[in-house]
Structures are given as structure tokens and as C-alpha cells.
Amino acid sequence: MTSPDSSLPVSPSGDPRCPTAPPPPEPRRRTLAALALASALTASLTSCATAEAARHALVVDTAFNAKSIDPARVYQPTDYLVDHDLYETLATDAGKVLHTPLPGLATSWSNSEDGQSWTFDLREDARFSDGSPVQASDVVFSLDRLRHVDASPAYLMAGITVEAEDARTLVLTTESPRADVPAMLATPQFGVVNADAVRAHGGTDAKDAVTEDEAETWLNTQSAGSGPYRLKSYSNSSQIVLEANPEYAGNVPACAG
């Protein structure tokens, strides 16, 4: 991933499972950012796990516009795409029918008769990039932190409360009936972070997080998610480099050519 000021796009390789494909012809300078961004994020655009399949992935043409990949603060188009590959969400929009969310970290969910309570059952195989298991308490921390950091995406948590029933079950409650909850939870702002790791680096989900949370700098240099990729380097002015996450429970990420 690179900006228009860089000379060549960067491929998120470094993983022996991902052979490097031959480099494409040098593109025009004004299209470098879009091509490099699509290269580094191929895994989120295709379900295939080979370099050959990655060559047929959908290319998203977008300007390099990055500020922060902290899920509680993410708000820029480029950062959205990066977080989609670093962090898993309870539901995902990776299916063929975009308006129908599919299971992500949650294997299933159900809505109460009054439409105000959603119960999610988590997968047992999900692991963060440090190998620790993803638990319901991590989801609660992530969503409460999203609310209390009170950055641009905090409005998404308005009227929503979340609590863990046990390590694999959590309940979201809304002030009024809402059918859009699973679809909303598929967006990158709801990426689930490793609560212990974020706390250890100044993060908090407490009500004073707007002034006390100091984890953004660390989250812009390290991975704290369970997605197919982990962060290798991040610069919001030049380039973002991802590499395959060896702890990812899904298919091996597709290589970018």
C-alpha cells in the first residue's frame, strides 16, 4: 500500500505461504495509490487463497486518505479498508449479497420478540495475532471503548448497551427495535480488539476514555486483531504494509501480485 508520492506499490508478503507474483507494468503515477491499496487488501476482496485467484480480484480505486487505524477512531476511506483486514467483526459483509450480513466472529445471532435484544454466539477458534483467544469480554471492551473514546464513529453506539453472558455469548440491547444491528456490526468501527493488549498500552473502555485512552499511537504500530492480516508498518502520509497473520483461523490470505 502506498501514496502517490511513492515510487512502487508494496505487497503484504513476507509469509512463505504467499509466493510473490511477477510485478505488473509500471502504472501511471496518479494511479499508484489505488493499485497498491488493492494489492495489499486483496484478501478482503476475494475468497480465494492463491496468488492466481488474487489477480482476478475486484480493484477498488480510491485516493490514499489515512489518519488512524484505531477502530474506535477510524474514519478515513483508506483506514476502513486496512481495518477490514486487521480486525474481525461479529458479522461480515463479505458475502455475495451485500445487504445480507454473514457470520464473522459470531457463528449465529438471534433477536428477541420485542426487537430490542440481540444475542450473539462467538466462534471458538478465533485467535488474536498474539495467539490469545477472542472472548465476549473483548467484544464488550471494544464496543464500550468505541462509545467512550467519543471520536467520530462513537455515534454508532448511541442507544446501544452490550454485556457478556459468558465467554462465548454476548447480548446487545437497543433503546428501540432495530433490524439493522447485524449489518451495522459488520463495519470496521466495530472491529474487535485484544482487550488485555490494548489496556496494557494505555487503552480504556471507561467513561473517561475520551481523555484517558492513550492506545491510539500503539494501535497505529501494532496489530491487536484477529483478522487475516497483521500490521507490519503504518504511515498515514506514505504507505501502509500488511503481512499474513499466522494466527488467523480462516483460509490463508491471498497473496497480492
Side-chain angles (χ1 to χ4, degrees):
M1 206 175 305
T2 184
S3 72
D5 294 328
S6 299
S7 58
L8 288 174
V10 177
S11 174
S13 189
D15 190 311
R17 297 172 296 179
C18 295
T20 302
E26 184 175 353
R28 289 177 294 178
R29 193 174 185 81
R30 64 189 177 87
T31 61
L32 278 173
L35 291 175
L37 181 62
S39 175
L41 301 175
T42 300
S44 67
L45 303 173
T46 178
S47 61
C48 298
T50 66
E52 179 62 28
R55 294 191 185 98
H56 301 288
L58 171 68
V59 175
V60 178
D61 188 355
T62 181
F64 189 92
N65 186 1
K67 183 177 181 181
S68 175
I69 50 175
D70 179 345
R73 295 177 169 92
V74 64
Y75 209 70
Q76 305 300 324
T78 301
D79 294 327
Y80 283 164
L81 296 176
V82 174
D83 273 11
H84 184 75
D85 278 342
L86 295 179
Y87 298 97
E88 291 187 282
T89 47
L90 290 173
T92 178
D93 56 6
K96 293 182 179 180
V97 182
L98 295 181
H99 61 73
T100 302
L102 299 177
L105 281 174
T107 58
S108 61
W109 52 81
S110 59
N111 193 204
S112 60
E113 290 187 5
D114 64 6
Q116 294 179 243
S117 179
W118 291 84
T119 301
F120 293 83
D121 298 313
L122 302 186
R123 292 185 358 237
E124 296 185 2
D125 62 349
R127 295 288 185 275
F128 289 114
S129 56
D130 67 357
S132 59
V134 179
Q135 298 186 340
S137 57
D138 295 297
V139 182
V140 174
F141 174 87
S142 301
L143 271 57
D144 280 345
R145 181 171 178 267
L146 170 62
R147 181 207 319 280
H148 294 139
V149 163
D150 201 25
S152 297
Y155 75 94
L156 294 168
M157 284 297 294
I160 299 176
T161 58
V162 55
E163 61 181 9
E165 286 194 347
D166 55 47
R168 298 292 173 194
T169 310
L170 64 140
V171 177
L172 270 71
T173 304
T174 58
E175 291 181 346
S176 59
R178 290 183 55 174
D180 66 331
V181 167
M184 180 183 68
L185 293 174
T187 59
Q189 295 93 333
F190 290 93
V192 176
V193 302
N194 184 330
D196 289 341
V198 174
R199 285 193 183 100
H201 292 87
T204 177
D205 64 342
K207 292 182 179 180
D208 60 357
V210 63
T211 57
E212 297 302 312
D213 184 272
E214 299 177 347
E216 181 180 15
T217 298
W218 182 76
L219 285 167
N220 284 338
T221 62
Q222 302 291 327
S223 296
S226 59
Y229 284 93
R230 61 186 181 186
L231 186 65
K232 187 172 183 180
S233 66
Y234 178 84
S235 171
N236 58 19
S237 63
S238 59
Q239 67 177 11
I240 304 170
V241 183
L242 310 180
E243 60 186 3
N245 177 10
E247 298 293 339
Y248 180 54
N251 294 328
V252 175
C255 297

